[in-house]
Amino acid sequence: MNRTLKIHCLAFFALALAGAAAAAAERPPNIVLLVGDDHGYPYFGFMGDENVVTPSMDALAFGGTTFSHAHVTATYCRPSLRTLITGLHPVQYVLRENEIVEQRRNEDADYASLGDRERGLWDQVEKAAAMREFDTLPKLLGEVGYVSWQGGKWWENNYRNGHFTEGMSEGWDMSAYGGDTFFEELMGANGNDLVRETMEPVFDFIDRNREQPFFIWFAPSLPHVPFDAPYTYRKYYQDMDISESAKLYYSNVTWWDDGVGRLLDHIESHDLMDDTLFVYISDNGWEQDADVEYKVDENATIADDLLLGNGGHLGKNGLYDMSFRSPLVFHWRGRIRHSFNTSSLVSSMDIFPTILDLAGAEIPGGLPGNSLLPLIEGRSMPERTHLIGYTDNRRSSTTPMGERAEGYSVRTHRWQFIWYADTDEKVLYDVTVDRMAEYNLADDYPELVAEFQELIKDWKVEVGMPEAIPIYE
């Protein structure tokens, strides 16, 4: 080979290598959305808990950007999960869902002749199918080349309703409708087996799609009841000087964490950690401090022991800070810096635009959340002064599902304000010094109460909610 030809060949190969390197650098990240189920914000090692064993989540948090004061949009699962998949507040989602379902009722010539049971079944199916009309994360990511997979909690019947490519929740067994087992179908059917019974479906999906960007919805029903963790996870707590209810709950927390660890290991086995963005949030809050006992009777069921089954006095189905709050973690090895943000009030509504931003996908207009990429990158951005919460539910002393209500909350950097408009009950406490809401200061700060009620009224106008609406359906 003459010298000139050799130079041209070397230049060609250099350009080819540079092009390959640039293509690799521009490859959008795999995205794994890790969704805890009833995981209270304090109960992680990285959040300072000295009892709970969470090495996998600790590794993600310590290696990425963690927001310690994130809040979800609902204090129980279905409406909260709808925010994660669509970026919309549950009120916004249901208002649009109602329009879609009403149109389908009007178009269905047989609906008027259906009996009560058939109408109930029709409503269940069509409300879930309404998600097909929404822009979801799998849909928008699919437009830029992603494949997607669903596993775990999924209330929208079939994974295809959320525009996933593949999934574990293939549809409800409608023969169970009206029976006690149908609730398990509603929660995700076969998807509920993730981690509790198997990891193979998600492993198989990764094995087949490791050469292209993928999105994974990883939402096992943990640490959600039943509190039946195997000895593998119970052993860490059996001899601790903590309450029996804490042992049960923390064992399920560690079971969840081990599922995350196994997923991390599998992704690392394919040399994909540097190409994968992990995002963690819980669907709602929970309360179970180590020294508090909620297990009142050895033989009591969760339905009998409502504080055990709903996360104490301040957890699930409540309006307290602990009802809404969760850490929010973004981990992308080598691409996202390590930081621990303890000041920003961020929302689960921010996850949708942030994921799209990091994936290089277009962010739809009109979303209530904001991309957190500036904060993740250490830059400044306009930040919230408050968050508004809403619930159509009130804790009940007779049923774990609660009772219908109209409740609102306002969370600022200092205050948590709670207002049940249907009964005019008001609670105001200082979250910086009173984590357990022991002191109601509503009567001491009437001007703050009035200010927060005005914020709530303004928010209702902003989201288009003239009156209370159900978001649980």
Side-chain angles (χ1 to χ4, degrees):
M1 181 182 297
N2 63 48
R3 186 171 184 273
T4 300
L5 181 59
K6 185 175 183 179
I7 290 172
H8 282 302
C9 288
L10 289 173
F12 172 81
F13 284 119
L15 287 171
L17 288 172
E26 294 170 2
R27 180 188 188 277
N30 305 315
I31 300 166
V32 178
L33 181 55
L34 305 166
V35 186
D37 191 358
D38 293 354
H39 198 153
Y41 85 83
Y43 311 116
F44 300 86
F46 70 85
M47 291 294 288
D49 191 285
E50 297 180 352
N51 298 298
V52 71
V53 179
T54 54
S56 300
M57 285 304 307
D58 295 347
L60 290 178
F62 291 141
T65 292
T66 298
F67 296 90
S68 64
H69 285 69
H71 292 76
V72 296
T73 56
T75 58
Y76 54 98
C77 46
R78 189 175 192 177
S80 182
L81 296 178
R82 284 172 163 177
T83 291
L84 295 180
I85 202 71
T86 67
L88 299 176
H89 190 278
V91 169
Q92 296 173 305
Y93 185 97
V94 168
L95 287 172
R96 185 176 172 198
E97 176 197 56
N98 288 344
E99 293 177 353
I100 295 168
V101 173
E102 183 61 27
Q103 180 179 345
R104 292 183 181 175
R105 285 194 189 103
N106 293 334
E107 293 172 350
D108 188 339
D110 297 325
Y111 183 80
S113 63
L114 296 177
D116 290 344
R117 175 183 169 82
E118 288 73 22
R119 284 193 181 191
L121 192 153
W122 187 99
D123 287 346
Q124 288 278 7
V125 171
E126 292 301 327
K127 285 177 181 179
M131 187 175 281
R132 291 176 179 263
E133 305 299 321
F134 288 77
D135 285 334
T136 65
L137 274 174
K139 177 183 177 182
L140 297 179
L141 291 171
E143 292 174 358
V144 292
Y146 279 76
V147 291
S148 55
W149 181 89
Q150 169 274 329
K153 274 288 188 71
W154 184 250
W155 290 79
E156 312 308 328
N157 196 354
N158 191 298
Y159 67 84
R160 295 182 184 86
N161 285 341
H163 303 282
F164 288 94
T165 312
E166 302 179 29
M168 292 179 68
S169 297
E170 297 180 337
W172 300 325
D173 175 4
M174 300 310 295
S175 68
Y177 179 73
D180 293 339
T181 62
F182 191 62
F183 193 74
E184 296 292 325
E185 295 294 316
L186 286 173
M187 289 197 303
N190 292 337
N192 294 320
D193 291 341
L194 183 63
V195 177
R196 283 182 173 271
E197 301 290 340
T198 181
M199 293 285 288
E200 289 308 311
V202 66
F203 290 168
D204 176 65
F205 174 79
I206 293 168
D207 294 345
R208 290 184 286 104
N209 294 283
R210 58 185 182 269
E211 300 299 328
Q212 63 186 113
F214 55 73
F215 170 72
I216 290 175
W217 172 274
F218 186 85
S221 185
L222 285 167
H224 192 283
V225 297
F227 296 138
D228 56 353
Y231 176 74
T232 301
Y233 313 110
R234 289 186 285 110
K235 67 187 178 189
Y236 296 107
Y237 307 103
Q238 62 181 8
D239 296 321
M240 281 189 180
D241 185 20
I242 60 177
S243 70
E244 290 304 309
S245 56
K247 291 178 181 179
L248 290 170
Y249 179 67
Y250 295 174
S251 296
N252 268 27
V253 167
T254 300
W255 195 359
W256 147 266
D257 188 84
D258 184 59
V260 173
R262 293 167 64 193
L263 180 62
L264 294 176
D265 289 348
H266 195 79
I267 288 173
E268 173 65 19
S269 73
H270 289 301
D271 198 27
L272 292 174
M273 283 296 290
D274 291 348
D275 300 318
T276 304
L277 166 69
F278 297 90
V279 182
Y280 169 81
I281 192 80
S282 182
D283 63 347
N284 52 253
W286 196 266
E287 177 212 330
Q288 179 56 76
D289 284 359
D291 59 349
V292 179
E293 182 62 79
Y294 290 129
K295 187 170 177 57
V296 296
D297 185 280
E298 181 66 29
N299 298 315
T301 66
I302 297 299
D304 297 327
D305 193 348
L306 298 183
L307 292 177
L308 176 66
N310 270 330
H313 296 282
L314 308 181
K316 189 173 185 177
N317 286 336
L319 277 172
Y320 295 91
D321 180 56
M322 198 171 283
S323 308
F324 287 99
R325 187 172 162 191
S326 168
L328 171 57
V329 178
F330 292 90
H331 178 105
W332 184 2
R333 191 167 70 187
R335 298 294 294 273
I336 286 181
R337 67 194 183 99
H338 168 56
S339 64
F340 200 87
N341 184 316
T342 61
S343 60
S344 298
L345 285 178
V346 300
S347 168
S348 57
M349 295 183 296
D350 300 327
I351 293 175
F352 188 94
T354 305
I355 285 178
L356 293 176
D357 209 355
L358 285 164
E362 184 176 353
I363 301 173
L367 293 176
N370 304 299
S371 171
L372 299 175
L373 189 55
L375 294 179
I376 291 171
E377 293 180 342
R379 297 181 282 119
S380 62
M381 63 179 287
E383 296 196 42
R384 293 183 181 88
T385 58
H386 64 276
L387 287 162
I388 305 292
Y390 170 72
T391 187
D392 56 357
N393 195 66
R394 179 190 285 105
R395 284 286 192 91
S396 167
S397 60
T398 58
T399 171
M401 303 308 296
E403 301 169 347
R404 301 282 67 83
E406 180 187 358
Y408 304 90
S409 67
V410 180
R411 173 62 151 88
T412 71
H413 288 88
R414 179 182 177 185
W415 299 104
Q416 181 82 8
F417 172 63
I418 297 169
W419 177 35
Y420 281 100
D422 54 329
T423 60
D424 204 32
E425 176 190 356
K426 303 181 186 74
V427 176
L428 177 70
Y429 66 100
D430 185 339
V431 292
T432 64
V433 296
D434 185 15
R435 180 174 76 97
M436 301 302 289
E438 296 180 278
Y439 304 100
N440 184 2
L441 305 177
D443 291 339
D444 299 330
Y445 293 92
E447 72 286 354
L448 272 181
V449 169
E451 176 185 332
F452 292 150
Q453 287 180 305
E454 284 301 313
L455 288 176
I456 290 167
K457 292 175 183 177
D458 291 343
W459 175 83
K460 290 175 67 177
V461 172
E462 181 183 337
V463 298
M465 185 175 73
E467 58 186 18
I469 64 170
I471 58 172
Y472 63 92
E473 296 179 339

